[in-house]
Amino acid sequence: MLTVMIDAMGIGLIIPVMPDLIQEVGGGTLAQAAIWGGIMSTTFAVMQFLFGPVMGGLSDRFGRRPVLLIALVVMALDYVLMALASALWVLLLGRIIGGITAATQSTATAYMADISAPHERAARFGLVGAAFGAGFVIGPVVGGLLAEYGTRAPFWVAAGLASGNALLGWIVLKETVTDETRRSFNWRRANPLGALRALGRLPGVTPLLLVYFIYHVGFAVYPAVWPYFGKARFDWTPSTIGLSLALFGISMALIQGGLIRPVLKALGERGTVIAGHLFSIASLIGIAVVTSSTWVLVLTPLAAFGGIIPPALQGIMSARVADDAQGELQGALTSASALAMILSPLVMTYTFAQFTDADAPIYLPGAPFLLAATLSTLGLAAILIGTRRGS
């Protein structure tokens, strides 16, 4: 759980300082920095997508302990590299390495399965998700506060966290893969594109998978653009950016952890998906056009209400497939969300750059949020049509 939390903290720690750091290293305008930020975010997501199954396969062959510990050591060295970076290509290299080392969530989840009885696994997998959420909330706050000591300070602290966790793991972490459970590494099983084949084999849920994908593309506007948007529209400092991201993360946790149950009971799965889209559309448009930072912070928890969409959609799709296809469905959903996180940063930061550059036809830092609202509208139309006769 500490490993997963530090993975998430490492991502969140650096978000508030990235606009300033990219400009410091590469020069250029905020619009150009946003494009580079999108490229780095996409690179990170691609590496996670490609190496998640590889890390899991390696841990089946060589054990969970060496994979986790080596990844933590490399992660610490990667943060040192980024702290010392003096060129954009070094930052990009750091994101490539960081994406690979952060792919160990699959190994941490496998470790949790190893040490849990079958009836305990679902709840303990939830603990892994909670650890990731906690790290992503804590990371931006700490990163924003550390930015007061310079744009490199969050990287040094992240390196220290990874090193400390590696030392702790070396002392206390026991190997859970035995000779009976060990299996050889197979590149075919490590193919991250394998789950995508499931899309064609689940025709009853294909339109809903499209809605799921559209949601994640729009949702990714927040981590992709928020620090650049806050700096351009409100001249926010890194600490304010970090606190605002934490507000969004806490709101998401409260909504998905507590509010989702009464909403599902009151509205049903289809009604919950529709309500989530309506809240998303309204809040995204509001964030795009308001000029008061106070109102943007008021709208942030409302925007997080869209977090009720994925679990409700999963419920609808799960009911539409056979019991022996549930794993196949979850694999397809994982692939869809991963691909969305690869695509969205490029699209959203490019849109931001087009509307904040000196030659922009209209200065509108909130343009990516209008694009996300448009995507949510398409998703709403698809859910209304696709579930008309269903739940």
Side-chain angles (χ1 to χ4, degrees):
M1 287 176 64
L2 277 172
T3 299
V4 172
M5 186 170 73
I6 289 175
D7 283 352
M9 283 186 66
I11 298 169
L13 268 171
I14 67 175
I15 289 177
V17 299
M18 285 306 285
D20 290 335
L21 179 60
I22 293 173
Q23 285 186 284
E24 176 186 314
V25 169
T29 65
L30 184 62
Q32 292 167 333
I35 291 178
W36 271 106
I39 292 170
M40 292 177 190
S41 296
T42 291
T43 300
F44 187 93
V46 167
M47 292 299 105
Q48 276 194 305
F49 177 68
L50 293 177
F51 281 88
V54 174
M55 290 291 191
L58 288 173
S59 74
D60 285 339
R61 171 64 181 88
F62 298 105
R64 319 292 186 215
R65 175 184 162 90
V67 171
L68 288 172
L69 294 183
I70 291 171
L72 283 166
V73 171
V74 175
M75 184 185 296
L77 294 173
D78 179 55
Y79 284 127
V80 171
L81 174 69
M82 295 187 72
L84 299 173
S86 58
L88 285 170
W89 72 267
V90 179
L91 289 179
L92 183 60
L93 176 62
R95 290 287 78 192
I96 291 172
I97 299 171
I100 295 171
T101 58
T104 49
Q105 186 169 349
S106 60
T107 304
T109 305
Y111 191 102
M112 190 68 83
D114 293 341
I115 63 173
S116 305
H119 68 278
E120 297 175 322
R121 286 177 181 170
R124 291 191 173 183
F125 290 159
L127 292 177
V128 175
F132 185 89
F136 201 78
V137 169
I138 297 169
V141 176
V142 176
L145 295 174
L146 288 171
E148 301 300 324
Y149 301 95
T151 55
R152 314 301 176 117
F155 295 94
W156 290 114
V157 171
L161 284 172
S163 300
N165 196 29
L167 179 60
L168 177 65
W170 178 264
I171 297 171
V172 305
L173 196 66
K174 298 179 180 179
E175 183 54 67
T176 58
V177 175
T178 64
D179 291 337
E180 289 75 21
T181 60
R182 192 182 309 275
R183 69 175 183 176
S184 61
F185 181 78
N186 189 318
W187 280 109
R188 293 179 64 184
R189 286 197 298 264
N191 176 15
L193 299 175
L196 293 179
R197 300 193 188 104
L199 297 175
R201 293 197 293 265
L202 299 172
V205 299
T206 299
L208 298 177
L209 278 168
L210 180 61
V211 175
Y212 189 85
F213 174 75
I214 290 173
Y215 164 79
H216 280 283
V217 173
F219 172 81
V221 70
Y222 294 101
V225 170
W226 192 258
Y228 306 96
F229 167 75
K231 187 175 175 64
R233 173 63 66 82
F234 307 114
D235 198 26
W236 279 349
T237 63
S239 58
T240 304
I241 292 169
L243 290 170
S244 64
L245 283 170
L247 173 64
F248 184 79
I250 292 170
S251 300
M252 282 287 293
L254 292 175
I255 288 167
Q256 290 190 325
L259 189 60
I260 182 69
R261 291 178 180 83
V263 173
L264 281 169
K265 185 176 181 180
L267 302 179
E269 290 170 341
R270 182 177 185 269
T272 298
V273 174
I274 293 171
H277 276 92
L278 291 174
F279 268 90
S280 289
I281 293 166
S283 56
L284 286 165
I285 293 174
I287 290 171
V289 300
V290 299
T291 56
S292 164
S293 61
T294 300
W295 275 107
V296 163
L297 295 176
V298 169
L299 287 168
T300 297
L302 297 179
F305 194 82
I308 64 176
I309 295 173
L313 265 178
Q314 285 177 285
I316 296 173
M317 288 186 280
S318 180
R320 291 191 175 191
V321 302
D323 290 343
D324 62 359
Q326 294 297 322
E328 190 175 39
L329 172 64
Q330 296 306 316
L333 293 177
T334 300
S335 294
S337 60
L339 290 175
M341 292 304 295
I342 289 170
L343 173 66
S344 187
L346 289 177
V347 173
M348 296 303 178
T349 54
Y350 179 79
T351 302
F352 174 85
Q354 291 301 302
F355 285 89
T356 56
D357 196 54
D359 299 327
I362 179 174
Y363 183 76
L364 185 61
F369 295 93
L370 290 179
L371 174 58
T374 302
L375 291 172
S376 291
T377 303
L378 293 175
L380 175 61
I383 199 70
L384 290 173
I385 295 170
T387 61
R388 191 168 4 188
R389 299 177 184 174
S391 61

